[in-house]
């Protein structure tokens, strides 16, 4: 029995596996870099550093473009960094009151897009609480409306959790976040309306006469 055909096949497979392993390591390292850059961009967004955040997102996109040129069978390793990229871009657009990015404009996988939008809800929650602390009630309501709209738009996708791992879990987390923020915003609005009513009543009441 000759193993000549087997030996040549095994050598070919070994070369392919070696190449794939090298590209896999490149993607894993590149993914970490993209994730780090995007997290720093999110920090800049919260800090009001729009220019710096966009520069970082541009760098992250450049890295993602390079990583997508590697073997298509390794694209699953790009879901985490793409998710972070979508989250950061969505947060930037919400904060600046511009149209949310489409999947095509970001050139990400289906699952990455859905998961990134859901993750952005948690970051918007921070913006809502910051607005409440600053007494910006209208702004807090607008931001809450944004996070609720994203959640409601993605709720139907819960049935596809088997296709995008973690989707249902993130939807469950988003639901809790939306309900908690709704309660906080409602309480803040009621408190503001109460204070306003008391102030108006005080203005209408006659000033007490001073004792002579």
């Amino acid at each position: 029995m000759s193993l000549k055909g087997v030996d040549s096949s095994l050598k070919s497979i070994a070369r392919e596996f070696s190449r794939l392993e090298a590209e896999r390591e490149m993607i894993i390292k590149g993914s970490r870099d993209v994730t780090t850059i995007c997290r720093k961009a999110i920090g800049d967004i919260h800090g009001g550093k729009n220019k710096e955040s966009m520069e970082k997102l541009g760098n992250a996109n450049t890295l993602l473009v390079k990583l997508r040129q590697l073997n298509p069978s390794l694209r699953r390793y790009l879901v985490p960094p793409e998710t972070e990229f979508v989250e950061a871009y969505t947060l930037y657009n919400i904060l600046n009151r511009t149209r949310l990015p489409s999947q095509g404009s970001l050139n990400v996988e289906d699952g990455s897009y859905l998961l990134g939008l859901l993750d952005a809800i948690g970051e918007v929650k921070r913006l809502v609480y910051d607005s409440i602390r600053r007494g910006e009630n209208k702004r807090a309501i607008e931001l809450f409306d944004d996070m609720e709209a994203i959640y409601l738009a993605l709720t139907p996708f819960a049935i596809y959790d088997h296709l995008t791992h973690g989707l249902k879990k993130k939807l469950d987390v988003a639901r809790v976040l939306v309900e908690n923020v709704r309660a906080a915003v409602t309480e803040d609005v009621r408190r503001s309306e109460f204070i306003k009513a008391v102030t108006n009543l005080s203005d209408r009441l006659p000033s007490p006469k001073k004792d002579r």
Side-chain angles (χ1 to χ4, degrees):
M1 180 179 66
S2 174
L3 294 178
K4 185 177 180 180
V6 173
D7 289 341
S8 61
S9 296
L10 293 180
K11 289 178 181 178
S12 176
I13 292 173
R15 286 193 298 269
E16 178 63 16
F17 277 10
S18 178
R19 185 179 64 82
L20 278 176
E21 181 63 20
E23 291 191 2
R24 175 179 172 276
E25 291 300 320
M26 290 174 62
I27 286 184
I28 291 175
K29 181 184 182 303
S31 295
R32 292 197 199 101
D33 293 338
V34 171
T35 299
T36 299
I37 293 171
C38 288
R39 286 176 180 171
K40 289 180 179 179
I42 289 175
D44 286 341
I45 294 169
H46 281 294
K49 301 177 181 178
N50 286 346
K51 181 179 179 181
E52 292 86 344
S53 62
M54 285 307 296
E55 287 178 352
K56 289 182 176 63
L57 289 176
N59 293 336
N61 184 57
T62 299
L63 279 174
L64 284 172
V65 169
K66 292 179 180 179
L67 293 175
R68 293 188 189 107
Q69 295 173 357
L70 298 176
N71 195 295
S73 67
L74 300 173
R75 286 296 295 270
R76 65 186 183 278
Y77 292 104
L78 291 180
V79 172
E82 284 187 345
T83 297
E84 200 82 25
F85 182 65
V86 174
E87 177 186 3
Y89 237 109
T90 301
L91 179 66
Y92 177 89
N93 287 17
I94 287 177
L95 185 60
N96 289 281
R97 312 310 299 167
T98 56
R99 181 182 297 180
L100 296 186
S102 66
Q103 179 188 6
S105 67
L106 299 180
N107 191 28
V108 297
E109 295 291 312
D110 296 349
S112 303
Y113 188 67
L114 298 175
L115 296 174
L117 288 174
L118 286 170
D119 283 347
I121 290 177
E123 295 299 329
V124 177
K125 178 200 73 172
R126 290 178 55 187
L127 297 177
V128 173
Y129 286 151
D130 287 344
S131 296
I132 290 175
R133 281 193 293 269
R134 291 193 297 265
E136 299 172 353
N137 299 335
K138 182 179 178 181
R139 177 66 165 156
I141 293 172
E142 289 176 345
L143 290 167
F144 169 72
D145 288 343
D146 289 339
M147 64 185 295
E148 183 180 43
I150 293 174
Y151 168 70
L152 292 176
L154 295 179
T155 298
F157 288 89
I159 61 175
Y160 300 115
D161 183 67
H162 61 293
L163 298 177
T164 300
H165 180 68
L167 183 59
K168 188 177 184 304
K169 181 178 180 180
K170 285 183 183 288
L171 277 166
D172 291 340
V173 171
R175 176 180 56 80
V176 174
L177 291 176
V178 168
E179 290 306 316
N180 288 345
V181 174
R182 185 199 308 278
V185 170
T186 301
E187 180 183 354
D188 184 64
V189 169
R190 288 176 177 172
R191 182 171 59 249
S192 298
E193 291 177 348
F194 175 75
I195 293 173
K196 183 179 180 180
V198 170
T199 301
N200 291 338
L201 177 61
S202 178
D203 292 340
R204 291 197 300 269
L205 291 175
S207 300
K209 295 181 180 180
K210 296 182 179 180
D211 295 334
R212 295 183 178 180

